[in-house]
Amino acid sequence: MKRKWIPGVLAGALMIGLLAGCSSSSDSDKGGSGKGINLRLYTYGTEEAYNWKATIAAYEENHPGITVEVVNLSEKGDTAEASKKLDLAAASSEQMDILMFSDPAGYAQRVSLGMAEPLDAYIAKDNFKEEEDYKVDSHIDGKVYALPGKFNPWYVLLNKDQLDEAGLPVPTDWTWDDFADYAKKLTKGEGANKRYGTYFHGPQGGGWMEYLKLMMLNQPHGADFLKPDGSSNLDDPNFKKTLELRVKMEKEDQSSVPYSDIISQKLSYRTQFFNQSASMIVIGSWMNTEIGGTESVPVNFHVAVAPYPKNNPGDEIGYTSVTTDYVAVSASSKHKQEAYDFVRWYTTEGQVVQGKNIPAWNGVKSEDVTKIIDTILSGTKNPELVDKESLVNTLLISKASELVPPASYQAEIFKAVNEEYEKLILGNQDIDTTVANSQKRAQEIIDSNKK
């Protein structure tokens, strides 16, 4: 029996809901009234992080007769919570026109279920190539089901005051060995008041797996647990080296927050950094909207930014994990052309209007980055506390590793590797056993999903 990416019962419910959504009408659909078309956008993005009101208003002003209704699936911007609610909404035959997915695995999973409409015909009509117009390639099995919104490379946030205290400069080109050395020098105190050099927010329950690919993501190729053909990449030496780095920093140097604390206390990377409990965090640049402080999470220290660390001194700086929003047209939408029109606008001009992130759209040139950053930081409480030069320089040199098209069984791989890591970090098996078990379990999942 082939393994599926979600339990069969839920998959069945979703399929029934999707089929029903294609044939039933919705009370909230204004399309048949002749008074206009209402598009429903399902998103995990909060108003604070995505500036929806101004963004939607700008679109509606130039598209008479179209209204866009934002359906916020998580008030706190929790992507896991939003994903569950999105699946339930699909199963309940709600009117869905535009969908946002937060990661490649979630995008691929819902494409495999038939939730997203192929966009190739619309793109051909618009006469552009997705891989040329955008910095992120969103093809799955040769087809495009979503266009990318933001371009959020991962970087390192630094408490500059604590760096100054330790006599450490803001890095502009460094390795993971340098990072570990910084973390050791920044660690201070003992017990409940201990300040750690760093905090790694994952892995957790098959999510935040970037933290088990630390020394893979800074490579031009081979940055994921799977290869482009769907085969295992867990024999990559950089996977084992990442495990060695994590064990060394937590157990030997005691410079990173213990994994057991992260899980048992449900720690948050924002709290750890902004409460000054950790001096450095490796995180995505969606944090640009927060590093100057917000109403809910103020900041009272200087923040600097460093590029994602390299493995070796001779490596090229800048390769890093990149996150984006995959913005799709719902397969059940009755207004697919109008939904596509919004998706295309939102992922191009709309990103500039939104003013919250660096766009994945190549129409925004590198020389415009400083202006966009000024706009983003102006929306924070204390932009003067941000070392803008270090932020801009880091964003300018950042580039995506080769993006591996996600397999439909990727989430299963993530969960298996996560479970093996937990055995390692909690002291129940060694590194070699962890690598061997991860490889074995991954291969079993791959084999069970072969057609």
Side-chain angles (χ1 to χ4, degrees), residues 393-410:
N393 288 343
T394 294
L395 292 173
L396 285 174
I397 66 167
S398 295
K399 47 189 170 286
S401 309
E402 177 190 33
L403 289 169
V404 178
S408 60
Y409 46 86
Q410 187 163 299

Side-chain angles (χ1 to χ4, degrees), residues 200-231:
F200 294 116
H201 191 58
Q204 295 191 42
W208 295 99
M209 297 303 287
E210 292 87 354
Y211 294 100
L212 287 187
K213 296 184 278 189
L214 294 175
M215 301 181 77
M216 300 173 76
L217 293 167
N218 54 13
Q219 304 297 297
H221 309 285
D224 214 331
F225 297 146
L226 296 174
K227 296 176 182 177
D229 63 3
S231 62

